Amino acid sequence: MLQKKYFAPDEIRLLARFWQSASGFWRGGSASMAWLLVGLLVATVLLQLFTQYRLNFWNRDFFDAIERKNAAGLWQQALALLPIATASLALAIISVWGRMTMQRKWREWLSNHLYDYWLERDHIVRLRFMSGEHQAPEFRIAEDARVATDLPIDLLLGLLSSILVAITFISVLWNVGGGLVINAFGTSLVVPGYLVIAVSAYSVLLTAAMMLIARHLTRVIEENKRTEAELRSVGTHLREAGERLVEPEVYRNGRRAIGAALEAVIRVWRIYCWQLMRMTMVTHTNVLLTPLIGLLLCTPKYIEGTMTLGEVIQAAAAFVVVQSAFNWVTDSYGRIAEWAASANRVASLLLALDQIHGQGDLKS
């Protein structure tokens, strides 16, 4: 619980304070390596998009050859798959290296910055007497700084990829799917780009459902991290008391304290579990339904003979890809909440150290 006479800064202020320090990785001595890695990762995303686009058209050609029972065409498509698969594998490996290298270097830079600030002058001593949400600073630097630098790289790369994929494959849906003719009451109505309209509407509904269900997730994760850190802190104090050979009464009080801390952890974990269960219900339903919806929307045109089997597979695959791109918020909601919770905890420590630093300047 918050101490009296303390009001936590709003989340925007916390995230702004986090970024004020964390963005230093892209300035100064580390800037050249940081921007070089950014360029590598962006180039990798673009090349992966090209291979994905090429694979989508390979699906069309392969299933068209099956529909025509063209053995020579099937063999030709099998050979054409080899360079695409090789390029995709190489790019995936390069992407992992670039992503993890940037995460490691950013975490190293931010952790050193936080350790220097925490250990500067008498900050480490005076922080114990400050009110606010900055308990267990060593845990925040070791664990929350890791999460706060790991997840943004994954999330931003995913967002960039989703935007580019959506732009690219919407054109595939529009061109391959074409318009849908609806005959009703003696009139014909043509719906242009009906697959694009369908995937957009479906994605909006799914995102709205996820945001409604998981609207408290950031707060729950933050509370989970706080109680876990408190449990570690109580355990550390109890161990230190045992090493000093203090009175038995201290052990009894310590046992009650660590029991209460564990109870708080389990209580918050239960709430977190229910949040994840509700989110899983939405995400897993989406995984099951999306391929089926894409195929069902294309089937009438295949039966009419206006789409080939290859075009049905191509359009259905593009439907899944576009829906997945539109679904970036839904798929990433839990990770965004986890990042925000860790960034907030790092920022709370920074704000407390800012206050101590300002008081020191006034005294000097």
Side-chain angles (χ1 to χ4, degrees):
M1 296 179 62
L2 296 178
Q3 299 182 23
K4 294 181 179 179
K5 297 183 180 179
Y6 175 79
F7 298 91
D10 58 66
E11 191 162 320
I12 294 177
R13 182 188 174 202
L14 285 170
L15 294 179
R17 181 60 187 89
F18 169 79
W19 182 246
Q20 179 185 344
S21 288
S23 61
F25 176 61
W26 282 271
R27 303 188 298 268
S30 59
S32 57
M33 173 60 72
W35 286 110
L36 182 63
L37 289 170
V38 168
L40 173 67
L41 290 173
V42 171
T44 304
V45 168
L46 292 173
L47 291 172
Q48 285 176 320
L49 174 62
F50 176 76
T51 59
Q52 192 175 9
Y53 182 77
R54 182 67 189 87
L55 184 61
N56 182 260
F57 279 87
W58 179 89
N59 279 325
R60 180 199 64 187
D61 297 338
F62 181 77
F63 282 95
D64 278 344
I66 290 178
E67 188 177 33
R68 295 191 300 267
K69 298 180 174 59
N70 184 351
L74 286 172
W75 177 247
Q76 182 181 1
Q77 292 306 314
L79 293 177
L81 180 62
L82 288 176
I84 299 174
T86 302
S88 180
L89 178 60
L91 289 169
I93 294 171
I94 293 171
S95 177
V96 169
W97 180 86
R99 174 173 51 81
M100 295 192 70
T101 299
M102 173 166 277
Q103 289 168 333
R104 173 173 53 84
K105 289 191 172 295
W106 192 14
R107 179 192 178 186
E108 180 184 22
W109 185 94
L110 180 61
S111 296
N112 282 325
H113 172 75
L114 291 170
Y115 281 128
D116 288 342
Y117 202 17
W118 180 39
L119 300 175
E120 181 181 325
R121 299 179 188 175
D122 57 350
H123 289 182
I124 189 172
V125 177
R126 295 173 61 189
L127 189 64
R128 296 170 53 193
F129 305 100
M130 296 288 295
S131 62
E133 284 296 305
H134 52 73
Q135 298 85 0
E138 68 282 0
F139 179 81
R140 295 181 185 231
I141 298 174
E143 178 62 19
D144 290 313
R146 178 188 65 80
V147 175
T149 51
D150 276 3
L151 290 184
I153 305 299
D154 292 338
L155 291 169
L156 289 175
L157 284 175
L159 178 59
L160 174 63
S161 178
S162 295
I163 292 171
L164 295 175
V165 163
I167 293 172
T168 302
F169 282 89
I170 279 176
S171 64
V172 174
L173 279 181
W174 189 277
N175 294 324
V176 176
L180 180 65
V181 180
I182 302 176
N183 296 310
F185 305 107
T187 60
S188 296
L189 175 65
V190 179
V191 181
Y194 77 104
L195 290 177
V196 176
I197 296 172
V199 74
S200 300
Y202 177 64
S203 298
V204 168
L205 289 175
L206 198 67
T207 301
M210 178 61 79
M211 295 184 72
L212 178 64
I213 288 172
R215 62 189 182 278
H216 301 305
L217 185 60
T218 300
R219 193 180 310 162
V220 172
I221 293 177
E222 203 166 338
E223 186 66 11
N224 180 54
K225 289 178 177 290
R226 186 192 67 78
T227 54
E228 291 281 4
E230 183 66 21
L231 179 62
R232 287 181 175 87
S233 178
V234 173
T236 299
H237 289 311
L238 190 58
R239 176 181 56 78
E240 291 173 348
E243 291 171 351
R244 292 196 299 270
L245 301 177
V246 295
E247 296 297 325
E249 181 65 23
V250 174
Y251 298 133
R252 287 192 289 270
N253 292 336
R255 182 64 186 89
R256 285 193 292 271
I258 202 167
L262 178 60
E263 183 181 349
V265 167
I266 299 303
R267 184 177 63 253
V268 175
W269 178 88
R270 189 179 297 114
I271 298 172
Y272 186 32
C273 178
W274 279 105
Q275 284 277 356
L276 292 182
M277 287 169 62
R278 290 193 292 267
M279 291 170 61
T280 300
M281 180 182 66
V282 175
T283 56
H284 194 68
T285 300
N286 174 55
V287 170
L288 294 174
L289 287 182
T290 302
L292 182 60
I293 291 173
L295 286 171
L296 288 176
L297 289 171
C298 296
T299 299
K301 300 191 74 172
Y302 175 71
I303 293 173
E304 292 173 358
T306 55
M307 289 182 73
T308 66
L309 178 61
E311 288 174 334
V312 169
I313 299 300
Q314 181 186 18
F319 187 93
V320 173
V321 169
V322 172
Q323 197 282 323
S324 178
F326 282 168
N327 211 38
W328 179 85
V329 173
T330 303
D331 290 340
S332 305
Y333 203 91
R335 305 181 79 195
I336 293 172
E338 184 180 2
W339 170 77
S342 291
N344 287 348
R345 285 171 54 79
V346 172
S348 297
L349 174 61
L350 284 166
L351 287 171
L353 293 172
D354 289 344
Q355 189 174 346
I356 293 172
H357 194 76
Q359 291 173 354
D361 290 343
L362 288 175
K363 289 180 180 180
S364 60

